[in-house]
Amino acid sequence: MAKNVAQSATLASLDQKLALAKRCSHEGVVAGAKAAIVATIATAIPTLASVRMLPWAKANLNHTAQALIISTAAGAAYFIVADKTVLATARKNSFKHAP
């Protein structure tokens, strides 16, 4: 009987930790997506404007290069912000539940 109570308490604790981890990762994904959208806009405007106005950029940056510049900035912003958000949320939750 005592073993079943201990197992159910352990399973409840694991379920709570799993739910907390899912919430942390979801917050990271949402924050990363927002940052990627902002980075895409912030990178696309100057990239496309420079291709239209600067002779060097017009001659050397084809559509593939422009897309690569914009997507690299968006991808980097996504992963950096998502990682920082997940770590910050996990750190906050670990201090909140510390004995």
Side-chain angles (χ1 to χ4, degrees):
M1 177 74 179
K3 186 176 181 182
N4 288 338
V5 172
Q7 283 179 343
S8 66
T10 305
L11 289 176
S13 174
L14 288 175
D15 287 341
Q16 184 180 12
K17 288 180 182 179
L18 181 62
L20 194 61
K22 284 183 180 180
R23 192 184 58 141
C24 288
S25 63
H26 184 267
E27 287 179 19
V29 168
V30 170
K34 288 179 183 178
I37 291 168
V38 171
T40 299
I41 294 168
T43 308
I45 292 170
T47 301
L48 297 175
S50 67
V51 168
R52 293 183 189 273
M53 294 181 202
L54 300 174
W56 179 88
K58 188 181 289 189
N60 293 312
L61 295 178
N62 61 11
H63 296 293
T64 304
Q66 295 169 34
L68 185 61
I69 291 168
I70 295 167
S71 64
T72 301
Y78 174 83
F79 285 112
I80 290 169
V81 172
D83 184 48
K84 286 185 177 279
T85 303
V86 168
L87 290 175
T89 308
R91 186 177 298 117
K92 180 181 68 176
N93 289 330
S94 69
F95 287 139
K96 186 188 301 183
H97 298 296

